[in-house]
């Protein structure tokens, strides 16, 4: 039984370590990655801040000058899952406050993020402060 508890604690520690690494790596601005099926068709910047807030700016076209919607929210990473909760939105349409999106992190390192979305789509993101 003691050996089982040792391995349980050991593997739990590795999970927490990954989350803390993910939490540091995600800080910054992210756009659609080149491998993503929507690359060149969706223009947005999602910024994850150290204080746990996020701002998502969706643009109308590839010029990335005119926003169609801005979504404010909060984010958290726990057990390898990225959770985003909408706090409010402004723009061409409204996203109801309280909506929660939970994505499984497949990879988050070196400016690349791969997630399995809550709709079972694999999404690719890359760090950038420009939408293209």
């Amino acid at each position: 039984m003691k050996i089982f508890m040792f391995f349980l604690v050991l593997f739990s520690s590795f999970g927490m370590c990954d989350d803390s690494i993910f939490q540091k790596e995600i800080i910054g601005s992210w756009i659609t990655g080149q491998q993503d099926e929507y690359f060149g068709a969706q223009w947005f910047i999602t910024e994850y801040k150290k204080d746990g807030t996020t701002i998502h700016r969706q643009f109308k076209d590839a010029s990335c000058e005119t926003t169609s919607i801005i979504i404010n929210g909060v984010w958290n990473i726990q057990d390898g899952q990225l959770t985003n909760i909408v706090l409010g939105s402004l723009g061409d349409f409204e996203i109801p406050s309280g909506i929660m999106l939970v994505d499984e992190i497949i990879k988050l390192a070196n400016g690349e993020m791969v997630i399995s979305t809550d709709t079972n789509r694999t999404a690719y993101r890359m760090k950038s402060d420009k939408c293209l």
Side-chain angles (χ1 to χ4, degrees):
M1 184 66 161
K2 287 181 183 181
I3 293 173
F4 174 75
M5 292 302 290
F6 171 76
F7 282 111
L8 183 61
V9 169
L10 182 65
F11 288 118
S12 296
S13 298
F14 284 127
M16 286 188 263
C17 179
D18 287 345
D19 287 346
S20 66
I21 292 169
F22 288 160
Q23 289 168 354
K24 289 176 185 171
E25 183 67 30
I26 201 167
I27 303 303
S29 297
W30 295 84
I31 64 171
T32 303
Q34 292 179 352
Q35 304 92 337
D36 197 275
E37 64 185 290
Y38 293 110
F39 181 75
Q42 287 185 347
W43 309 280
F44 66 83
I45 298 173
T46 304
E47 181 182 0
Y48 294 94
K49 298 181 179 186
K50 286 181 184 180
D51 67 0
T53 61
T54 186
I55 299 173
H56 176 85
R57 293 176 181 86
Q58 187 84 31
F59 298 95
K60 292 187 181 213
D61 57 40
S63 71
C64 300
E65 294 177 6
T66 308
T67 56
S68 59
I69 190 164
I70 298 173
I71 303 169
N72 293 299
V74 292
W75 66 271
N76 186 39
I77 295 175
Q78 186 171 3
D79 298 328
Q81 294 189 325
L82 169 61
T83 301
N84 285 285
I85 301 173
V86 174
L87 298 180
S89 64
L90 299 167
D92 294 348
F93 53 95
E94 184 179 337
I95 304 293
S97 296
I99 287 184
M100 181 186 306
L101 303 170
V102 180
D103 302 319
E104 179 184 351
I105 298 170
I106 298 169
K107 176 184 179 182
L108 180 52
N110 303 318
E112 295 181 345
M113 179 175 9
V114 181
I115 55 175
S116 178
T117 69
D118 57 353
T119 60
N120 291 323
R121 183 176 90 78
T122 300
Y124 297 85
R125 304 289 181 256
M126 61 185 183
K127 255 188 184 174
S128 177
D129 57 359
K130 300 182 185 334
C131 82
L132 285 177

